[in-house]
Amino acid sequence: MNSAPIPIFSVIIPTYNHGHFIGRSLQSLLDQTLVSWEAIIIDNHSQDNTDEVIAKFADPRITLLKIHNHGVIAASRNMGIRAAKGEWIAFLDSDDWWVPRKLELSFAVIDSRVDFVYHDLFIARNREQIFFSERIVSTKPRRPMFSAFLCSGMSVPNSSVVIRRDLLDRIGGESEKQDLISVEDLDTWVRVARITERFVRHPECLGYYWLGGGNLSAASLMQITRISALYEQYFGELNSVELRHSKGFLAYRIGRIAQLCDERETASKNFFLALRNSNNLLFRAKALYFLALNLLSRPFS
């Protein structure tokens, strides 16, 4: 009896109570022009109709696993990675979806000199949306990638990433630390950048990112604690110039989060730090703009 062929791509889809979304994600997989894939859904014991929706997609390439991840989505992704058969791992959040040629076009840029592929994602804000003009713009690779992630704000959307499986094995999968919840994807890219520079940005927009509510990475004071914890664990690996720039960019990120949470004093303090420490003219300009906006929006006493 012949065994099933090994897929090129293993698509990792963690989910929880997304029965109203996951059908769209799975349909985008079934619509792929490249058919050599498997999908591993890791469900955190959803209490909605997730199981029923998945059951409607009766495709042998789709596997459903169950986990109690205690709010740590990295544990779900790691379970999926361990179960994966493909040489390449593709990440897809259960409220996001892809264009039909996503896997085909990602595979087209892969060769022996490529370890990591990513791209832009269109932003979706409501279920009835037909036209998509906004996008999450990914950043072209800047080498060395390790310091680029920490010093200059590399944008690599999670649901765009295709990565060699062995790299994830080498770094031990995603971090399951509680203080990195919602920033574990960025932490993964930073750790991968320690061991490879072979990142490629595909020029086309090949998927859709749901921004209609319920995102773990939405602005909150807890997000400041998490992004700070991520950066601080790598400060010791940077030289003095990189460290100053990294602290400057961290200050900019904290300032933006604080501003969105209406914590104006914290925002202003961090925008000043960003202006003093960042080497990136774009983020210095942004910090100056948001600092002025923050100061001008204060009521006069």
Side-chain angles (χ1 to χ4, degrees):
M1 182 177 178
N2 294 329
S3 59
I6 296 175
I8 296 171
F9 294 103
S10 294
V11 184
I12 308 302
I13 309 175
T15 193
Y16 177 67
N17 284 349
H18 271 183
H20 53 308
F21 289 130
I22 197 168
R24 183 175 57 188
S25 301
L26 294 178
Q27 188 60 54
S28 79
L29 272 177
L30 294 181
D31 292 340
Q32 290 298 303
T33 54
L34 187 151
V35 299
S36 182
W37 56 263
E38 65 171 349
I40 303 171
I41 304 166
I42 310 93
D43 178 36
N44 188 33
H45 291 273
S46 295
Q47 302 300 308
D48 64 358
N49 65 334
T50 292
D51 284 358
E52 290 79 4
V53 173
I54 294 171
K56 294 177 181 177
F57 292 85
D59 190 298
R61 294 172 294 179
I62 298 174
T63 300
L64 173 61
L65 305 177
K66 295 286 185 176
I67 190 175
H68 288 290
N69 69 17
H70 306 290
V72 181
I73 197 170
S76 294
R77 292 198 184 109
N78 286 337
M79 173 181 273
I81 293 166
R82 289 191 295 270
K85 301 180 181 70
E87 179 183 358
W88 292 88
I89 299 292
F91 292 111
L92 179 61
D93 289 343
S94 58
D95 51 358
D96 299 337
W97 70 102
W98 292 335
V99 303
R101 298 186 69 198
K102 145 74 179 187
L103 294 179
E104 175 194 346
L105 293 175
S106 296
F107 186 65
V109 301
I110 289 171
D111 60 26
S112 61
R113 296 166 294 178
V114 175
D115 289 328
F116 191 117
V117 180
Y118 62 100
H119 52 76
D120 294 2
L121 295 175
F122 291 113
I123 293 174
R125 295 186 180 274
N126 64 73
R127 297 296 297 270
E128 292 74 34
Q129 190 170 343
I130 299 174
F131 300 104
F132 300 88
S133 57
E134 299 177 279
R135 63 171 67 186
I136 297 178
V137 179
S138 57
T139 312
K140 292 181 180 179
R142 301 170 183 155
R143 297 174 176 83
M145 292 293 292
F146 178 75
S147 59
F149 275 114
L150 296 169
C151 300
S152 60
M154 291 287 302
S155 171
V156 176
N158 184 74
S159 289
S160 78
V161 168
V162 170
I163 182 173
R164 286 191 191 273
R165 157 72 182 274
D166 76 292
L167 287 176
L168 294 170
D169 291 339
R170 287 170 63 184
I171 67 170
E174 291 198 349
S175 173
E176 298 182 19
K177 294 179 181 178
Q178 288 279 345
D179 59 357
L180 295 182
I181 290 174
S182 82
V183 295
E184 66 285 315
D185 52 348
L186 174 57
D187 179 70
T188 302
W189 316 153
V190 173
R191 290 189 293 129
V192 167
R194 279 171 166 165
I195 57 179
T196 184
E197 295 287 348
R198 301 190 298 191
F199 288 68
V200 171
R201 175 183 180 267
H202 196 286
E204 296 186 46
C205 195
L206 302 178
Y208 300 83
Y209 174 75
W210 175 249
L211 201 59
N215 303 76
L216 278 177
S217 56
S220 68
L221 296 182
M222 179 59 71
Q223 194 70 358
I224 291 177
T225 300
R226 291 164 174 167
I227 197 68
S228 298
L230 186 154
Y231 273 74
E232 288 167 4
Q233 66 185 352
Y234 297 112
F235 281 161
E237 300 179 43
L238 300 172
N239 63 40
S240 58
V241 174
E242 291 171 338
L243 179 60
R244 180 168 64 86
H245 295 160
S246 181
K247 288 184 175 180
F249 183 68
L250 173 60
Y252 171 77
R253 295 195 68 172
I254 292 174
R256 285 293 290 132
I257 296 169
Q259 188 175 48
L260 292 170
C261 295
D262 202 30
E263 294 287 335
R264 297 182 183 181
E265 184 174 344
T266 299
S268 294
K269 173 186 174 182
N270 281 279
F271 288 139
F272 275 119
L273 288 173
L275 284 168
R276 189 173 68 187
N277 292 313
S278 177
N279 69 326
N280 187 293
L281 291 178
L282 174 61
F283 285 106
R284 285 173 61 86
K286 286 183 175 181
L288 182 60
Y289 169 77
F290 286 120
L291 174 61
L293 192 67
N294 193 52
L295 295 175
L296 290 172
S297 64
R298 288 185 174 185
F300 292 100
S301 56

